[in-house]
Amino acid sequence: MKEKRWVAIASSIKAAIRGGELSPGARIPSESDMAMQWNVSRMTVHQALSELQREGWVVRKPKIGTVVADRSAQPDTKIGLVFTGFIELPQGGYLAGIESSLTDGYQFIHYNTNADTQEEAKCLVAAASECSAIICYPISAPENTPLLKKIAASMPLIFVDRIPQGIDADVVMSDNFGSMVMGLRHLHALGHGRIAFFMEDQTTLSSVTDRYAGYQQFMRQEAGVPDPERWVRRIAWDVPWERYYEQVEANLIDLLSAPERGRVTAIACQQYALLAMVLEVCVNLGVSVPGELALLSFYDLDARVQPLARNTHRLIQRSVEMGAIAADRIRRRLIEGELTAQSVCLTAELIPADVRHHSPAAQEFIAARLSSAAKSSIS
């Protein structure tokens, strides 16, 4: 069986360290340089370096980069980072905050759950046996709740972004409820009273249920809508991308096909994947944003990834700050011993839509998409 490229890269670096070509403290080339050298993607290099760090061969230092570890003096305190991925946003922001705050005396061991229930359980068991504390971005699968409760009772465990139901543990997360209400108030101040809500049907995630609750309360108590549920659209998330698009498209057409007096003028999206898909559907249907439809969403990607996102209202999580707070909490638990579990919630930053003209490149992009759009889909 052919060796995976990231394994070959990691093996090469290990060989150089064993042979004395790379001594403790020596700087490893950047991920970009190594990607060019090995003719692979940066993700492949990142995976190799993450595994080397997990095994204690290298350490990552802020403003310096990756350097060869002194394996004769490895730190005693190992922190397990149990995440669904280490590159995707906002997880990359959480990790940046954690790793920049816990430096000397701590070693990070990365465990990638790949958002899989059984894999998460394996990672948690391994982290509990190998580490002194765990920082976790949980998938909140009910099957793993008993295991998480057992770990929380025996060692420092802190959750980032979300907390599984029924667990008394530290958590650092966005104020999902309050941030959603803040964004909806912004839309309402712009004259929008008929606001739909698109959400992924993941009711085990606290972030999802809190954002939904914020929508329900605002629409009832502040927008004066007695039955906001009629404008809620639930999207199955565990389906192929084509099916995901079809769901969003069908629901958007249904909402925009209503009589004008009852037609929604804005949509609040639970998260950025939904926003990206709604934008895609709007382009294909010839619906202008923000002209015909205003969009609000929690958003974790750089606006350059989706040019049209600049014309939407975005709630940006303070991910790096959240990671730093989680790191400080772990440090206190390790130093001071048992502490009462705390929940820290940070309000997201609201970035209003940029209604100025698009750049020439963006205008060409929109024109090309609209030229083939099926405008007749909405009658």
Side-chain angles (χ1 to χ4, degrees), residues 41 63 65 116 175 197 214 221 231 233 236 263 288 328-329 362:
S41 68
K63 299 181 181 180
D116 178 80
D175 179 4
F197 186 69
Q221 297 184 7
W231 290 331
R233 296 296 184 269
R263 186 181 305 164
S288 64
D328 181 69
R329 186 64 180 167

Side-chain angles (χ1 to χ4, degrees), residues 16-17 21 53 55 80 86 99 115 121 138 155 157 187 195 212 222 226 258 296 300 305-306 319 322 328 354 364 379:
I17 294 173
E21 299 173 40
Q53 182 179 15
E55 295 179 4
F86 297 102
E99 295 186 350
M155 64 188 300
L157 168 66
L187 288 181
I195 307 170
Y212 169 70
E222 299 190 38
L296 165 75
D300 299 310
V305 177
Q306 172 54 269
S319 56
M322 289 165 62
D328 181 69
D354 182 358
E364 292 179 9
S379 55

Side-chain angles (χ1 to χ4, degrees), residues 174-185 211 296 298 315-316 346-350:
S174 292
D175 179 4
N176 293 290
F177 181 97
S179 299
M180 178 56 73
V181 170
M182 176 180 66
L184 292 168
R185 284 176 178 157
R211 293 171 190 180
L296 165 75
F298 276 82
L315 295 166
I316 309 297
L346 301 182
T347 303
E349 179 184 4
L350 174 63

Side-chain angles (χ1 to χ4, degrees), residues 79-117:
I79 308 295
L81 302 179
V82 181
F83 279 56
T84 63
F86 297 102
I87 299 177
E88 300 90 347
L89 293 173
Q91 295 182 70
Y94 304 146
L95 291 165
I98 293 167
E99 295 186 350
S100 64
S101 299
L102 287 175
T103 52
D104 296 338
Y106 297 93
Q107 177 186 354
F108 297 108
I109 302 183
H110 297 81
Y111 303 88
N112 190 338
T113 71
N114 292 309
D116 178 80
T117 301

Side-chain angles (χ1 to χ4, degrees), residues 29-190:
S30 69
E31 291 184 4
S32 297
D33 290 343
M34 291 184 65
M36 292 181 62
Q37 176 187 345
W38 285 82
N39 193 28
V40 295
S41 68
R42 284 188 61 182
M43 184 180 296
T44 299
V45 175
H46 184 86
Q47 187 173 5
L49 294 180
S50 294
E51 181 62 20
L52 289 171
Q53 182 179 15
R54 192 187 78 80
E55 295 179 4
W57 291 90
V58 301
V59 293
R60 299 189 180 190
K61 297 187 175 182
K63 299 181 181 180
I64 296 177
T66 304
V67 300
V68 177
D70 182 358
R71 292 174 64 80
S72 65
Q74 285 289 344
D76 292 330
T77 306
K78 295 182 173 66
I79 308 295
L81 302 179
V82 181
F83 279 56
T84 63
F86 297 102
I87 299 177
E88 300 90 347
L89 293 173
Q91 295 182 70
Y94 304 146
L95 291 165
I98 293 167
E99 295 186 350
S100 64
S101 299
L102 287 175
T103 52
D104 296 338
Y106 297 93
Q107 177 186 354
F108 297 108
I109 302 183
H110 297 81
Y111 303 88
N112 190 338
T113 71
N114 292 309
D116 178 80
T117 301
Q118 293 183 350
E119 191 62 29
E120 180 183 67
K122 293 178 183 177
C123 290
L124 288 167
V125 170
S129 65
E130 298 172 355
C131 303
S132 301
I134 298 174
I135 301 177
C136 183
Y137 178 84
I139 64 174
S140 298
E143 298 93 323
N144 289 339
T145 298
L147 175 58
L148 286 166
K149 285 184 176 180
K150 181 178 179 181
I151 293 173
S154 62
M155 64 188 300
L157 168 66
I158 187 166
F159 297 105
V160 182
D161 185 71
R162 53 182 68 155
I163 184 167
Q165 296 178 2
I167 298 180
D168 183 26
D170 288 294
V171 59
V172 179
M173 63 193 305
S174 292
D175 179 4
N176 293 290
F177 181 97
S179 299
M180 178 56 73
V181 170
M182 176 180 66
L184 292 168
R185 284 176 178 157
H186 175 70
L187 288 181
H188 200 250
L190 295 176

